[in-house]
Amino acid sequence: MFNVLRRKLKQTLGRNKDLKVPHDKFEHGEGNGDKEKHPISNSLEQNKIILKEIFNNCSDVKFREFELGTAPAVKLLLVYIDGMVSTSDIHESIMNQLMLLEGLMEEISPEHTLELIREKLLPIGELSENGDFIKITDNILMGNAALLIDGEKTALILGIKEWESRGIEEPQSEPVVRGPREGFTERMLTNTMLLRRRIKSSRLKLEIKKVGIVSKTDIGIMYIDGIANNKVVEEVRKRIDRIKIDGILESGYIEEYIQDDWKTPFPLVLSTERPDRAAAHLLEGNVIILTDTTPFALIVPVTFFHFLQASEDYYTHWVGTAMIRLLRIIAVNISLLLPSFYIAIVTFHQEMLPTALLINIASAREGVPFPAFIEAFIMEGTFELLREAGIRLPRPVGQAVSIVGALVIGQAAVTAGLVSPAMVIIVSLTAISSFSIPNYSGALSLRILRFPLMVLAASLGLFGIMVGLMALLLHLCSLRSFGVPYISPIAPFIRSDMKDSVIRFPLWAMFTRPRLIGYKEPQRQEYLQIPKPPANPKRPSGGKERDNK
Amino acid sequence: MYIIGLVIAFCGIILFEAPKLIKEKMWGELMAFSGLLLFGMVISSAAVLNIDVPNPTALIEMIFAPPTKLLTSFFE
Amino acid sequence: MKLIEEGKISGSQFMWLLVTIVLPTAVLFIPALTIKYSGTSAWISGGVFTTIWAFIIVWVASTLGERFPGMTLVDYSSLILGKFPGKLVGAFYIFVLVLTVAIVVREFGEFLVSSFMQQTPIFVFNFLLIALAASAVRNGIEVIARMNHFVVSLMFFALIFIFTLVFSEADFKNLYPIFEGGILPIFRGFFTPMGWAGELFLIFILMPYLNNYREAKYAGYKAALMLGVIMSIDIVIALAVFGQQAADYVFPVHTLATYISIAGFLERVEAFILALWVAGITMKVSIWYYCAVIVAARTFNLQDYKPVVLPLGVICLTWSITIFDNITQLVEHFDIAWIGFSLTFEFIVPALLLLIAVLRKKRGAEKGR
């Protein structure tokens, strides 16, 4: 499998001058490392030549030759990538220690240089040995430094990774009123730290895989052992191992490769920027997939209702949250159906409207030259355009676009008699509703589906909408995300999971984990911890009142 | 006019199902598929071309109308 | 003895499937047809008698199924009657099921054309419905059962919506006198809904797909009871609002919906109700269609049921358009021949199968399925 891919890669990319044949050997990382061995020799000079050949024209790779400060000086070569290692570590923990030896002169013997350096001289936490060019190259590319010693057949790998990265900031895509302000960052170890800080348990497992033949991106699979379904974890591993691609640049790449159905417009993997949300899902038994170089973590398996939930839902009062969740469901319906309903009613079912409203709409539509469908299509299309422009443009210009859009949609089009005012209301309501869906990819799928429904409504009225909705329901029912039915608490109906889908019950009532996801350890809290006033009817301060008598 | 639509529809159905069946050598399935489809083709083209073919409900009425009448007549 | 499909459904899903098998068309057609013969006591024939009949059907079908756990209809009829007669039973049921699908689709199309969109040709409705059902069938019983769960709640919502909102129009004096013409008209009026109640016989085709086949009987009884209650309410409300005239409407429930008026704002919501009804009929057709496909696949000894879905769909679609000339003929057909026909395939054949199985002491292997 891998060789075929390699041959293909060679065929397509091999013509590229950057990928000369000797390089190619070092481009496949661990995949082939077990079979092909490229041991280093004990001549430092020769190793240096080969490494220089590997890192030919890579000016950011530094080769620093120096000598161990012993009496028969031993030659050393330090190879690292500038900008990916900690310079202070290079200076203080490595060079300073090795070059300026004091009081060790008499202990040195040429046979045990490596042991000496490893055991006594280098004050570095992460340290390993390796004697293979491929592994050494990989390590250097990962941001470690390699220390080659003259006369030794193994090199020391020094874990001194350090690079500039964005600090922990508030997530832009999922703002909350109440809740932690920390968001994931592009650095995976920061993200795992954020999750470990929330779940201090040795049962929280992290498995790191490298995906991407050229990019060698770190992918972390996190789950809580004993809560997460082993089959799901195994399936995640399998699907990630199946990815053979040149590079992974964002978790979206992973998402597209691991989802169950590639044709669906619905997202089958939930992405989040919020560590608290990821931690909550870990506790429910989901598996988190972290990708280095992106702040978006993937959560599997998910159901449709996960896309209508925000992390804040669990931090604010449950009655309010229950209401807000109902509101979101209404928003989903409006965002999906309102334009098509308008078209259907105006075109086919005028009798459904009260007479006064019908007259109003009819008189407003009097001067409009288009049929309702074209009118709706133009307006929805314009809105989608404006929205896209608003996202892509530089922020100051974006403002201008929205002003122009407001004028075009709200004012000029109506005054010019191109669209009716009712249509403007419909479009803006749809827009507001689709903004109130917390997850971007969830809202996106509804935005896409709006248009086919509009076509159906224009051709067959309410019946057409219903046919479209039935087809949609059929599709939703046939979807699965890692084995979990997509609209699971509703169909198949699971009574115990209704507590956290359409509405949210108080936390003490959410006694079990979601049944299809966290069934391995269903109980998540003590039973019936209903908060109540103290059993003693007299209040603690009650005695005082009597005293006053 | 309708017959063209019908032909296109049947071609579509055949192209949708048959290649997979042939490739996986499911001959039994292919037989059942073609037999039923042939039947469907005959009755639908007959319907489109206004040819009279025996109507299943007429058959049922022929067989079951007398006993039904007998049954209901007791309660009139 | 291999199942064509691996899908499995739970007991409650099974029960709701049984409700959907009967309910969507029954609610529309039965009031008028029953009131026509039984007059004011229609609710006795349409509600009470049908429930008892449904219980009998459920008993026969599920006893037959329990005798041969995990086996499909064609398999055990071959076991009971011999190989060739068994296949013949299968072929008979393919015919029955395909024809019923065609009739249900036609009923639905007529309903939409006559009270909803007069200008649209019936072909459009029938085609879309069968296309939807075909794709549902191709997705398997699990998906159908899941969809059904959702749709049943929609249907109940629609029914409760109609029934509560027309309550102010109801005049319960219309229900008197009970037993107007003695017991005979009640029996006469019972014959038409009998065909609908008997549709629960599909239990013995669907039973192999149940997680635990012992739940089938209980689920069937529950479904029968639920249907009886709904049908009684349906007929009572239709009677109370229209009196004996209800027999003159083809779809009294739909006419009921036109009576709805809330605060002068929501008027004539019947289009909305009808749209919800589309969902119910789609499910009903899907389940019948699925049964037809499964029986066909088993009769022809297929490994995969999917190849026969579309050919059967073509037959259903053609028949749904050609079998009747107009809706009057459709309604008459229920009166003339359907009573005897439905009695045959819903009760007589399963009962005979059961009887012969008992006499010849055939039973399926008790497997821990």
Side-chain angles (χ1 to χ4, degrees), chain A residues 467-468 470-475 477-478, chain B residues 16-17, chain C residues 5 127-141 143-144 147 282-283 285-286 289-290 293 305-306 309-310 313:
Chain A
V467 167
M470 282 307 284
L472 196 63
L473 178 66
L474 172 62
H475 177 65
C477 285
S478 67
Chain B
F16 184 71
E17 292 283 5
Chain C
E5 207 216 341
F127 172 74
L128 281 172
L129 184 67
I130 290 195
L132 264 182
S135 56
V137 170
R138 284 183 71 92
N139 273 299
I141 188 76
V143 169
I144 293 179
M147 277 174 83
T282 314
M283 286 327 296
V285 170
S286 307
Y289 194 168
Y290 180 80
V293 166
Y305 72 97
K306 280 178 184 163
V309 173
L310 289 181

Coordinates of all heavy atoms in Angstrom, one line a residue, chain A residues 467-468 470-475 477-478, chain B residues 16-17, chain C residues 5 127-141 143-144 147 282-283 285-286 289-290 293 305-306 309-310 313:
Chain A
V467 N -42.3 16.8 0.9 CA -41.5 15.7 0.3 C -40.0 16.0 0.5 O -39.3 15.0 0.9 CB -41.8 15.7 -1.3 CG1 -40.7 14.8 -2.0 CG2 -43.1 15.1 -1.5
G468 N -39.6 17.2 0.4 CA -38.2 17.6 0.7 C -37.8 17.2 2.1 O -36.8 16.6 2.4
M470 N -39.3 15.0 4.1 CA -39.2 13.6 4.3 C -37.9 13.0 3.8 O -37.3 12.1 4.4 CB -40.4 12.9 3.6 CG -41.7 13.0 4.3 SD -41.7 12.5 6.0 CE -41.6 10.7 5.8
A471 N -37.5 13.5 2.6 CA -36.2 13.0 2.1 C -35.1 13.4 3.0 O -34.2 12.6 3.3 CB -36.0 13.7 0.7
L472 N -35.2 14.6 3.6 CA -34.2 15.0 4.6 C -34.2 14.1 5.8 O -33.2 13.7 6.3 CB -34.5 16.5 5.0 CG -33.5 17.2 5.7 CD1 -32.3 17.4 4.7 CD2 -34.0 18.6 6.0
L473 N -35.4 13.8 6.3 CA -35.6 12.9 7.5 C -35.0 11.6 7.2 O -34.3 11.0 8.0 CB -37.0 12.8 7.8 CG -37.4 11.9 9.0 CD1 -36.8 12.5 10.3 CD2 -38.8 11.8 9.2
L474 N -35.3 11.1 6.0 CA -34.7 9.8 5.6 C -33.2 9.8 5.6 O -32.6 8.9 6.1 CB -35.3 9.5 4.2 CG -34.7 8.2 3.5 CD1 -35.0 7.0 4.3 CD2 -35.3 8.1 2.1
H475 N -32.7 10.9 5.0 CA -31.2 11.0 5.0 C -30.6 11.1 6.4 O -29.7 10.4 6.7 CB -30.9 12.3 4.2 CG -29.4 12.5 4.2 ND1 -28.5 11.7 3.5 CD2 -28.7 13.5 4.7 CE1 -27.3 12.1 3.7 NE2 -27.3 13.3 4.4
C477 N -31.9 10.0 9.1 CA -32.1 8.7 9.9 C -31.1 7.7 9.4 O -30.7 6.8 10.1 CB -33.5 8.1 9.6 SG -34.7 9.0 10.6
S478 N -30.6 7.8 8.1 CA -29.7 6.8 7.6 C -28.2 7.2 8.0 O -27.3 6.4 7.8 CB -29.8 6.7 6.1 OG -29.4 7.9 5.5
Chain B
F16 N -28.6 1.9 -13.2 CA -28.4 2.0 -11.7 C -28.1 0.7 -11.0 O -27.2 0.6 -10.1 CB -29.6 2.7 -11.1 CG -29.5 3.0 -9.7 CD1 -28.7 4.1 -9.3 CD2 -30.2 2.3 -8.7 CE1 -28.5 4.4 -7.9 CE2 -30.1 2.6 -7.4 CZ -29.2 3.7 -7.0
E17 N -28.8 -0.3 -11.5 CA -28.7 -1.6 -10.7 C -27.8 -2.6 -11.4 O -27.0 -3.3 -10.8 CB -30.1 -2.2 -10.6 CG -31.0 -1.4 -9.6 CD -30.7 -1.7 -8.2 OE1 -29.7 -2.3 -7.9 OE2 -31.4 -1.1 -7.3
Chain C
E5 N -32.0 -9.1 5.4 CA -31.3 -7.9 5.9 C -31.0 -8.1 7.3 O -31.6 -8.8 8.1 CB -32.3 -6.7 5.7 CG -31.6 -5.4 5.6 CD -32.4 -4.3 6.3 OE1 -33.6 -4.5 6.6 OE2 -31.8 -3.3 6.5
F127 N -45.6 9.4 -8.1 CA -44.2 9.2 -8.4 C -43.3 9.6 -7.2 O -42.4 8.9 -6.8 CB -43.8 10.0 -9.7 CG -42.3 10.0 -9.9 CD1 -41.7 8.8 -10.4 CD2 -41.5 11.1 -9.7 CE1 -40.3 8.8 -10.6 CE2 -40.2 11.1 -9.9 CZ -39.6 9.9 -10.3
L128 N -43.6 10.9 -6.7 CA -42.7 11.4 -5.6 C -42.8 10.5 -4.4 O -41.8 10.1 -3.8 CB -43.1 12.8 -5.3 CG -42.5 13.8 -6.2 CD1 -43.1 15.2 -5.9 CD2 -41.0 13.9 -6.1
L129 N -44.1 10.0 -4.2 CA -44.3 9.2 -3.0 C -43.5 7.9 -3.1 O -42.8 7.4 -2.2 CB -45.8 8.9 -2.8 CG -46.1 8.1 -1.6 CD1 -45.8 9.0 -0.3 CD2 -47.6 7.8 -1.6
I130 N -43.6 7.3 -4.3 CA -43.0 6.0 -4.5 C -41.5 6.1 -4.5 O -40.7 5.3 -4.0 CB -43.5 5.3 -5.7 CG1 -44.9 4.8 -5.5 CG2 -42.6 4.1 -6.1 CD1 -45.5 3.9 -6.4
A131 N -41.0 7.2 -5.1 CA -39.5 7.5 -5.1 C -39.0 7.6 -3.6 O -38.0 7.0 -3.3 CB -39.2 8.7 -5.9
L132 N -39.7 8.4 -2.8 CA -39.3 8.5 -1.4 C -39.3 7.1 -0.7 O -38.4 6.8 0.0 CB -40.3 9.4 -0.7 CG -40.0 10.9 -0.5 CD1 -41.1 11.6 0.2 CD2 -38.7 11.0 0.2
A133 N -40.4 6.4 -0.9 CA -40.6 5.1 -0.2 C -39.5 4.2 -0.7 O -38.9 3.5 0.1 CB -41.9 4.5 -0.5
A134 N -39.2 4.2 -2.0 CA -38.1 3.3 -2.5 C -36.8 3.6 -1.9 O -36.1 2.7 -1.5 CB -38.0 3.5 -4.0
S135 N -36.5 4.9 -1.7 CA -35.2 5.2 -1.1 C -35.2 4.8 0.3 O -34.2 4.4 0.9 CB -34.7 6.6 -1.3 OG -35.7 7.5 -0.8
A136 N -36.3 4.9 1.0 CA -36.4 4.5 2.4 C -36.2 3.0 2.5 O -35.5 2.5 3.3 CB -37.8 4.9 3.0
V137 N -36.9 2.3 1.5 CA -36.7 0.8 1.6 C -35.3 0.4 1.3 O -34.8 -0.5 2.0 CB -37.7 0.2 0.5 CG1 -37.4 -1.3 0.4 CG2 -39.1 0.4 0.9
R138 N -34.6 1.1 0.4 CA -33.2 0.7 0.2 C -32.4 0.9 1.4 O -31.3 0.3 1.5 CB -32.7 1.5 -1.0 CG -33.2 1.0 -2.4 CD -32.6 1.8 -3.5 NE -31.2 1.5 -3.6 CZ -30.7 0.6 -4.4 NH1 -31.5 -0.1 -5.2 NH2 -29.4 0.4 -4.5
N139 N -32.8 1.8 2.2 CA -32.0 2.1 3.4 C -32.2 1.1 4.5 O -31.5 1.1 5.5 CB -32.3 3.5 4.0 CG -31.4 4.5 3.4 OD1 -30.2 4.4 3.5 ND2 -32.0 5.4 2.6
G140 N -33.3 0.2 4.4 CA -33.5 -0.8 5.3 C -34.4 -0.6 6.4 O -34.9 0.6 6.7
I141 N -34.8 -1.6 7.2 CA -35.9 -1.5 8.2 C -35.5 -0.6 9.3 O -36.3 0.0 9.9 CB -36.3 -2.9 8.6 CG1 -37.5 -2.9 9.5 CG2 -35.2 -3.6 9.4 CD1 -38.8 -2.7 8.8
V143 N -33.7 2.1 9.4 CA -33.9 3.5 9.0 C -35.4 3.8 9.0 O -35.9 4.8 9.5 CB -33.2 3.9 7.7 CG1 -33.6 5.2 7.2 CG2 -31.7 3.8 7.9
I144 N -36.2 2.9 8.4 CA -37.6 3.1 8.3 C -38.2 3.2 9.7 O -39.0 4.1 10.0 CB -38.3 1.9 7.6 CG1 -37.9 1.9 6.1 CG2 -39.8 2.0 7.7 CD1 -38.5 0.8 5.3
M147 N -37.3 6.6 11.2 CA -38.1 7.7 10.6 C -39.5 7.6 11.1 O -40.1 8.6 11.4 CB -38.2 7.4 9.1 CG -37.1 8.0 8.3 SD -37.3 7.4 6.6 CE -38.4 8.7 6.0
T282 N -46.3 8.5 3.6 CA -45.0 8.0 3.1 C -44.5 6.8 3.9 O -44.0 5.9 3.4 CB -43.9 9.2 3.2 OG1 -44.5 10.3 2.7 CG2 -42.7 8.8 2.4
M283 N -44.7 7.0 5.2 CA -44.2 5.9 6.1 C -45.0 4.6 5.8 O -44.5 3.5 5.7 CB -44.3 6.3 7.6 CG -43.3 7.2 8.0 SD -41.7 7.1 7.3 CE -41.2 5.4 7.8
V285 N -46.6 3.7 3.2 CA -46.2 3.1 1.9 C -44.8 2.4 2.0 O -44.6 1.3 1.5 CB -46.2 4.1 0.8 CG1 -45.6 3.6 -0.5 CG2 -47.6 4.6 0.5
S286 N -43.9 3.1 2.7 CA -42.6 2.5 2.9 C -42.6 1.1 3.5 O -41.9 0.2 3.1 CB -41.7 3.4 3.7 OG -41.7 4.7 3.2
Y289 N -44.2 -1.5 1.2 CA -43.3 -1.6 0.1 C -42.1 -2.5 0.6 O -41.7 -3.5 -0.1 CB -42.8 -0.3 -0.3 CG -42.0 -0.1 -1.6 CD1 -41.8 1.1 -2.1 CD2 -41.6 -1.2 -2.3 CE1 -41.1 1.3 -3.3 CE2 -40.9 -1.1 -3.5 CZ -40.6 0.2 -4.0 OH -40.0 0.4 -5.1
Y290 N -41.6 -2.2 1.8 CA -40.5 -3.0 2.3 C -40.9 -4.5 2.5 O -40.2 -5.4 2.1 CB -40.1 -2.4 3.7 CG -39.0 -3.2 4.3 CD1 -37.7 -2.9 3.9 CD2 -39.2 -4.1 5.3 CE1 -36.7 -3.6 4.5 CE2 -38.2 -4.8 5.9 CZ -36.9 -4.6 5.5 OH -35.9 -5.3 6.0
V293 N -41.0 -6.1 -0.9 CA -39.6 -6.4 -1.4 C -39.0 -7.6 -0.6 O -38.3 -8.4 -1.3 CB -38.8 -5.1 -1.2 CG1 -37.3 -5.4 -1.3 CG2 -39.2 -4.1 -2.2
Y305 N -31.7 -7.8 -1.1 CA -33.1 -7.4 -1.5 C -33.1 -6.2 -2.4 O -34.1 -5.9 -3.0 CB -34.0 -7.2 -0.3 CG -33.7 -5.9 0.5 CD1 -34.4 -4.8 0.3 CD2 -32.6 -5.9 1.4 CE1 -34.1 -3.6 1.0 CE2 -32.3 -4.8 2.1 CZ -33.1 -3.6 1.9 OH -32.8 -2.5 2.6
K306 N -32.0 -5.4 -2.5 CA -32.0 -4.1 -3.1 C -32.4 -4.2 -4.6 O -33.1 -3.3 -5.1 CB -30.7 -3.4 -2.9 CG -30.7 -2.8 -1.5 CD -29.4 -2.1 -1.2 CE -29.5 -1.6 0.2 NZ -28.1 -1.2 0.7
V309 N -36.0 -3.6 -5.6 CA -36.8 -2.5 -5.1 C -37.3 -1.7 -6.2 O -38.5 -1.4 -6.3 CB -35.9 -1.6 -4.2 CG1 -36.6 -0.3 -3.8 CG2 -35.5 -2.3 -2.9
L310 N -36.5 -1.3 -7.2 CA -37.0 -0.4 -8.2 C -37.9 -1.1 -9.2 O -39.0 -0.5 -9.5 CB -35.8 0.2 -9.0 CG -35.0 1.2 -8.2 CD1 -33.8 1.8 -9.0 CD2 -35.8 2.3 -7.7
G313 N -41.1 -1.0 -7.6 CA -41.6 0.3 -7.6 C -42.3 0.7 -8.9 O -43.3 1.4 -8.9

